[in-house]
Amino acid sequence: MDKYKKEMPISYTFGIFPTFELLKHKTTYVQKVMVHEKLTITPDIQNMLDFCKQHDILVEFCTKQIEKIADKENTMVVGVFSKYEATIERGKNHIVLVNPSDMGNLGTIMRTALGFDVKNIAIIAPCVDIFNPKAIRASMGAVFSLNIQIYNSFAEYLTQHGNNHMYPFMLKGTQTLQTLGKPCAPFSLIFGNEGSGLDDSFLSIGTSVVIKHSPAIDSLNLAISVALALYTMR
């Protein structure tokens, strides 16, 4: 076992809660669960161990191995799983992220999307690695309950899901969240990169939306923007 690299065919969940989410929702991809020898066996931990036993998932008590690969101290549980591909559903509400580059933002968006029952996320490459343990930790394991599909371009996404009602969120948007009214479903909420946002070509796609804020800042954080949009539109 080595520290995570993007080219590896496996990834890790660091922590008890993300690992349990992995076990529950992506059982067939789990290779093993590693447990720190100093971990206190609480009822929740025992439930996790029992789950592994019921599904023939290997459990290893290997403190040194955990300390070698973990990105934080005091990591007591690590899940090891094979990477997998998913397909987003047609005719459902989508979040579309164009070239996201921050793992913390991506993880937070995953968790927020699940919280508002939007379970399909399209990501336009180039993009951050969705299986990086930092993104998984930020999502609190929500990544394992979502359908996340990576597309080479927005045009490729449109060929498959062009019947959705498109709502690009951008500073030049023609509507505000307040004036938009109830969105048409199924919808695709489209957001750009943390630094550059969406380019002007998106003004001609669907109904563009701006989230108004005070002139004291130039823009909102991407994850905050997604949360505001989901809360208002859902």
Side-chain angles (χ1 to χ4, degrees):
M1 288 289 169
D2 295 313
K3 281 189 174 293
Y4 178 78
K5 296 183 178 64
K6 187 175 182 178
E7 61 269 20
M8 293 167 60
I10 62 169
S11 186
Y12 310 120
T13 55
F14 294 136
I16 297 167
F17 189 83
T19 300
F20 216 157
E21 291 299 294
L22 166 68
L23 289 168
K24 289 189 295 183
H25 299 290
K26 289 291 183 280
T27 310
T28 58
Y29 295 98
V30 182
Q31 294 190 3
K32 63 180 176 180
V33 173
M34 300 192 295
V35 179
H36 198 287
E37 292 166 349
K38 293 183 179 180
L39 177 66
T40 301
I41 306 300
T42 64
D44 286 342
I45 296 299
Q46 190 60 55
N47 288 338
M48 183 184 72
L49 298 176
D50 291 342
F51 185 96
C52 291
K53 184 176 182 180
Q54 292 166 8
H55 292 83
D56 295 320
I57 296 170
L58 176 65
V59 175
E60 290 184 348
F61 287 83
C62 46
T63 300
K64 290 184 178 180
Q65 191 70 270
I66 290 176
E67 292 174 349
K68 177 183 176 183
I69 66 173
D71 58 357
K72 288 187 177 182
E73 295 181 0
N74 300 320
T75 299
M76 294 293 167
V77 175
V78 177
V80 183
F81 68 96
S82 302
K83 293 179 180 179
Y84 55 88
E85 293 185 356
T87 302
I88 60 176
E89 301 169 287
R90 292 180 183 270
K92 299 291 186 178
N93 295 330
H94 297 166
I95 293 172
V96 183
L97 303 176
V98 180
N99 313 137
S101 59
D102 184 279
M103 288 179 287
N105 274 336
L106 178 61
T108 302
I109 290 168
M110 292 176 188
R111 188 180 182 191
T112 303
L114 186 60
F116 287 104
D117 201 32
V118 176
K119 297 183 179 179
N120 295 277
I121 299 179
I123 299 181
I124 312 302
C127 59
V128 68
D129 178 12
I130 67 171
F131 287 122
N132 189 294
K134 293 180 180 179
I136 294 172
R137 184 192 290 273
S139 83
M140 289 299 290
V143 59
F144 303 119
S145 297
L146 300 170
N147 304 309
I148 303 175
Q149 186 171 354
I150 297 175
Y151 292 86
N152 292 319
S153 66
F154 183 72
E156 182 184 1
Y157 169 80
L158 278 181
T159 62
Q160 296 182 25
H161 304 285
N163 289 332
N164 272 25
H165 299 273
M166 303 290 162
Y167 295 94
F169 281 74
M170 48 201 307
L171 293 176
K172 295 182 180 180
T174 58
Q175 296 283 336
T176 69
L177 279 177
Q178 291 86 348
T179 62
L180 183 62
K182 186 176 181 180
C184 298
F187 57 68
S188 296
L189 310 184
I190 309 165
F191 300 86
N193 174 271
E194 290 88 346
S196 56
L198 296 174
D199 63 51
D200 287 353
S201 66
F202 282 88
L203 287 169
S204 62
I205 296 172
T207 303
S208 59
V209 184
V210 59
I211 302 176
K212 290 290 188 178
H213 54 74
S214 82
I217 59 171
D218 60 354
S219 63
L220 293 168
N221 169 273
L222 175 60
I224 295 294
S225 297
V226 175
L228 288 170
L230 284 173
Y231 177 79
T232 303
M233 300 184 77
R234 291 286 291 152

